[in-house]
Amino acid sequence: MENFRRISSDDMLMEQVEEALRMTPEQRFRAGGELFDAACRFALAGIRGTFPGASEQECLARLKQRFAWADELDPAVRP
Amino acid sequence: MTTDEAALAVAAALDAEGVPYIIVGGYSSNTHGIPRATKDVDFVVSISANHFPDLLTHLGPQWQRDPQLSFETNTGAVRAVLELKDSPLKVEMFALSDDEHDQARFARRICKPFTGQTVAFPTAEDVIVWKLRWARHKDIEDVRSIILVQERESTLDWPYIRGWCARHGTTARLEEILASLPKRGR
């Protein structure tokens, strides 16, 4: 156990800051899309597993429904 | 087409139509701070009489536009929505409003050179000011990350930020965020 380094949430945040500083603004911009695309791939894999007979269109519709539910939880703002 | 490619394609289409724009929302905070996943791409566009440009001729057949303009009842914002077929991605275009700070952030927009094109964003200061007004959990986290990254990467114009916060009544919120940040050299 003594090999583990104890880190706080502030330490983790500052590690993320350091990582962001190593990226260009364009890389940071693109990372948001890449993270979203990866999240969608994982979510679609989960939906396919839960509904094995569903077509790709049906799986996509279920994914879109999840985002619609998320929108309902998020108060509308003007971004 | 990936989400970031889709965002840049819409920016290029707006350029081709000669419509001034800024990319706002999660993509603007990512550019200035710590990246997080963002499910929508949001643009503010300068148009007259809510006449949104027809971008489909530039974007191609994999895109579709919701034929109905929508009016956000909470915010009074008029928006048009573009969707990439076979994808959950939504691109929302909001008409530039008369709000004083909406006008200011648009006028102060900065163009960043990306591979193959330049892309217009609000400044880091204006993203902070705007997000402090809405102050959802993710907005607060975005403000924290932008401050931490920008203080190291460049210089934030604190008098500008504090001036708008005083006008918007968000000074206490800003101070609370500053007090919550990890200790750092300033």
Side-chain angles (χ1 to χ4, degrees), chain B residues 27-41:
Chain B
Y27 275 90
S28 65
S29 51
N30 283 353
T31 303
H32 294 300
I34 298 169
R36 62 171 171 81
T38 41
K39 67 180 171 55
D40 299 322
V41 187

Side-chain angles (χ1 to χ4, degrees), chain B residues 58-112:
Chain B
H58 301 284
L59 292 171
Q62 68 270 44
W63 288 83
Q64 60 192 11
R65 178 177 161 183
D66 184 338
Q68 187 78 44
L69 288 184
S70 53
F71 183 76
E72 284 275 5
T73 49
N74 287 357
T75 63
V78 180
R79 66 171 184 173
V81 178
L82 289 167
E83 289 181 338
L84 190 56
K85 294 175 191 169
D86 301 325
S87 159
L89 176 68
K90 270 195 311 189
V91 175
E92 299 183 321
M93 288 187 291
F94 294 85
L96 176 63
S97 73
D98 292 333
D99 176 273
E100 250 185 299
H101 183 245
D102 205 13
Q103 291 282 335
R105 71 172 175 167
F106 200 88
R108 287 162 40 88
R109 65 189 181 276
I110 49 173
C111 289
K112 289 192 176 282

Side-chain angles (χ1 to χ4, degrees), chain A residues 10-11 13-14 16-18 20-21 23-37 39-40 57 60 63-64 67 70-71 74-79, chain B residues 2-4 8 24 27 30-31 33 35-39 42 72 75 77 86-88 90 94-95 97 102 105 114-115 121 130 134 136 138 144 148-149 152-153:
Chain A
D10 279 356
D11 294 332
L13 177 60
M14 293 315 292
Q16 290 178 316
V17 170
E18 294 299 331
L21 286 165
M23 301 166 80
T24 65
E26 179 175 356
Q27 287 170 328
R28 295 199 290 256
F29 174 91
R30 290 183 182 276
E34 288 162 4
L35 289 165
F36 174 71
D37 292 339
C40 288
Q57 282 306 310
L60 182 62
L63 179 61
K64 286 183 177 181
F67 284 120
D71 284 341
D74 217 4
V77 303
R78 184 196 168 84
Chain B
T2 62
T3 294
D4 55 298
L8 294 175
V24 295
Y27 275 90
N30 283 353
T31 303
R36 62 171 171 81
T38 41
K39 67 180 171 55
D42 302 310
E72 284 275 5
T75 63
D86 301 325
S87 159
K90 270 195 311 189
F94 294 85
S97 73
D102 205 13
R105 71 172 175 167
F114 283 11
T115 313
F121 294 95
W130 196 266
W134 297 108
R136 296 165 301 172
K138 64 182 174 187
R144 283 163 56 87
L148 289 169
V149 170
R152 296 269 302 278
E153 197 166 72

